[in-house]
Amino acid sequence: MGRTITPEQAAVIKATVPVLAAHGLTITTRFYKDLIGAHPDLRNIFNKTHQATGHQPRALAGALYAYAANIDNLGALSPAVELICAKHASLFIQPEHYELVGVNLLKTIKAVLGDAATDAIMDAWGAAYWQLADIMIDREQELYDSATNWTDWKDFKITRKEKESAEITSFYLEPLDQSFKLPTYKPGQFISVNVFVEELDGGVWQARQYSLSDAPGTNYLRISVKKEAGVLIGEPASMTHPGYISNILHEQRKVGDVVRLSHPFGDFFMDDKEEEKDAPVVLISAGVGLTALISILKSLAKEESKRPITWVHGARDAGVRAFKKETDELVAKNENIHAIRFSTHPNKEEVEGDHYHFKGRADLNKVSTADLHTDNKKTQYFVCGPTKFMLDVESQLQAFGVPSERIKMELFGTGGVQRV
């Protein structure tokens, strides 16, 4: 049974919303610095890039603000909590980590606010923290229970590297323990990849989440990783670049090397309910956002689904577009699958109608309503790509009359999609 706060404590939390708006980022920035300073082992859990860029403190500040503002309506936070719990489970966060965070967060709130942090405020925030922590600990335990015999980092060997485009390479990963049976994950979910980075802080483990990019039921797990340009491994100025770990995978990890993986997790997946098995599916992506959606597409084809499926993808040009051969083969073999491609800046070798269908950024206004299946009240929409792209697609679909509950978006990074 989780702990709960009293109505009086909830009122105090509500009253601190303006304080969090004014001082939240100051609190969270200092909190992470002090926490990691006091507990250096946590460097192996926290994303070094998100710390250096301030992304993680901003996300926590936003989360605290949202929690305080919705303290009497926690149901509104359920999607965000589910996202965070899935991320935590992929990093094997444990109850003792919540203890460390709680103690240090309250200490930082007191230090930053000083005399303004009265006993009543500190008591209320202590109770509020543990109310939320208990909810998350319980949910994460459910996720660990579902993972059965995979509740810690597991060694996998890179058995194949395949270049999918000028920027994206697929890694085929098989368990080092050949007797280990891979779980059946849900198409669209991700794994965490944990690598040791010698150049960071004298050596530190860093984990990154990558969508699984193949259908379940194989003897391997496949991830398809985009290599960011301009990152130099070992160069101090590059070490906190968002693409640093992806560059290590591309440049330093070879076939035969071992990496550590988490169990698949994530709330972005194809949930094939019986009553929706005939519903059209529209998969809309830009750039490397197609990795989660290719898993859904290949899974539907593997099941020999007859439901109408539309694949919409936007890329800069044909050179950076991954999985064209795979999707072309699926279209040729399955008359219910239709692919539509956008090229922002087609190169001179690209042929309209083959390499791309529309010039420019992905724009659903250029796609026929028949391909978008907006007239079917059961159509499921899956959207993945940069934040602005996803929000633009969501707005376009809503303008076509599609309700929000039928639009599923992959929320990359700490804090998910920002709507303000």
Side-chain angles (χ1 to χ4, degrees):
M1 182 76 176
R3 284 165 275 194
T4 58
I5 64 174
T6 66
E8 293 76 18
Q9 289 170 328
V12 171
I13 295 298
K14 273 280 195 182
T16 63
V17 169
V19 176
L20 289 174
H23 302 288
L25 186 57
T26 301
I27 291 170
T28 56
T29 300
R30 177 167 174 176
F31 157 72
Y32 279 116
K33 181 180 178 182
D34 292 349
L35 176 67
I36 296 173
H39 304 281
D41 286 351
L42 294 179
R43 296 176 308 155
N44 295 306
I45 293 178
F46 288 116
N47 184 313
K48 178 74 173 178
T49 299
H50 286 166
Q51 292 296 315
T53 61
H55 187 75
Q56 196 147 29
R58 285 195 301 274
L60 179 58
L64 290 174
Y65 179 90
Y67 181 44
N70 291 278
I71 196 68
D72 50 4
N73 181 29
L74 293 183
L77 302 178
S78 294
V81 169
E82 186 65 20
L83 170 70
I84 295 169
C85 287
K87 180 78 81 67
H88 281 183
S90 80
L91 298 172
F92 303 108
I93 300 299
Q94 300 298 318
E96 55 264 30
H97 295 128
Y98 282 93
E99 182 72 38
L100 289 176
V101 167
V103 169
N104 284 273
L105 181 59
L106 293 172
K107 185 185 299 184
T108 305
I109 290 174
K110 180 65 178 176
V112 171
L113 299 185
D115 292 341
T118 63
D119 289 346
I121 287 177
M122 296 308 299
D123 287 345
W125 266 104
Y129 172 81
W130 279 109
Q131 174 179 259
L132 182 60
D134 284 346
I135 291 170
M136 297 178 74
I137 289 170
D138 289 347
R139 177 58 184 142
E140 286 157 26
Q141 186 58 54
E142 290 175 355
L143 293 173
Y144 294 140
D145 291 344
S146 72
T148 57
N149 60 338
W150 190 352
T151 54
D152 201 350
W153 297 110
K154 190 172 288 291
D155 289 337
F156 276 66
K157 182 188 292 186
I158 300 172
T159 56
R160 180 176 160 200
K161 285 178 68 173
E162 184 171 314
K163 196 171 182 65
E164 306 287 2
S165 74
E167 298 175 338
I168 297 174
T169 292
S170 286
F171 294 77
Y172 291 75
L173 308 162
E174 297 183 22
L176 209 57
D177 177 2
Q178 295 183 351
S179 66
F180 179 70
K181 182 175 173 57
L182 290 177
T184 300
Y185 56 89
K186 297 176 181 177
Q189 290 189 307
F190 64 82
I191 55 173
S192 282
V193 178
N194 202 18
V195 298
F196 189 73
V197 186
E198 295 179 358
E199 301 91 347
L200 282 177
D201 296 337
V204 64
W205 287 95
Q206 286 285 278
R208 297 293 185 271
Q209 287 74 42
Y210 296 105
S211 298
L212 291 160
S213 61
D214 210 338
T218 62
N219 64 343
Y220 59 82
L221 298 178
R222 185 177 81 167
I223 58 173
S224 301
V225 180
K226 179 185 177 184
K227 178 184 178 184
E228 298 288 348
V231 178
L232 300 176
I233 301 302
E235 183 67 31
S238 294
M239 287 183 182
T240 55
H241 188 285
Y244 194 78
I245 301 302
S246 69
N247 273 259
I248 287 178
L249 291 174
H250 274 258
E251 295 181 11
Q252 294 187 346
R253 296 302 183 264
K254 302 176 177 61
V255 171
D257 286 351
V258 174
V259 295
R260 304 198 305 183
L261 304 186
S262 75
H263 187 282
F265 289 111
D267 67 338
F268 180 85
F269 54 79
M270 183 76 183
D271 190 9
D272 220 1
K273 299 176 182 176
E274 190 62 38
E275 66 272 18
E276 296 176 347
K277 282 188 177 293
D278 61 343
V281 176
V282 181
L283 307 171
I284 308 168
S285 62
V288 73
L290 83 176
T291 54
L293 303 191
I294 193 71
S295 176
I296 296 175
L297 180 66
K298 294 188 71 174
S299 296
L300 289 169
K302 188 175 182 178
E303 295 167 3
E304 299 183 343
S305 172
K306 299 304 179 186
R307 59 205 297 178
I309 303 166
T310 302
W311 171 267
V312 181
H313 181 249
R316 189 170 66 248
D317 56 46
V320 298
R321 190 188 308 280
F323 306 127
K324 182 177 185 299
K325 182 180 178 182
E326 273 189 84
T327 52
D328 279 348
E329 289 175 351
L330 291 172
V331 169
K333 293 177 182 177
N334 301 272
E335 60 181 20
N336 59 311
I337 299 177
H338 187 201
I340 299 169
R341 302 186 180 95
F342 289 79
S343 278
T344 310
H345 302 291
N347 59 50
K348 60 184 180 181
E349 286 80 26
E350 290 188 58
V351 177
E352 185 175 353
D354 178 14
H355 296 95
Y356 70 98
H357 302 92
F358 297 101
K359 182 178 179 180
R361 296 182 181 277
D363 181 358
L364 298 190
N365 290 309
K366 296 180 179 180
V367 181
S368 71
T369 55
D371 283 324
L372 291 176
H373 301 284
T374 52
D375 59 338
N376 190 314
K377 301 305 181 185
K378 291 184 178 180
T379 304
Q380 300 174 50
Y381 299 88
F382 295 85
V383 186
C384 194
T387 299
K388 186 179 185 307
F389 165 80
M390 290 193 287
L391 294 177
D392 287 347
V393 167
E394 182 185 44
S395 294
Q396 287 187 315
L397 289 173
Q398 289 173 338
F400 295 149
V402 178
S404 298
E405 58 267 23
R406 289 199 281 123
I407 305 170
K408 189 96 170 179
M409 296 191 294
E410 172 67 294
L411 311 181
F412 281 125
T414 304
V417 167
Q418 299 299 314
R419 299 179 180 276
V420 293

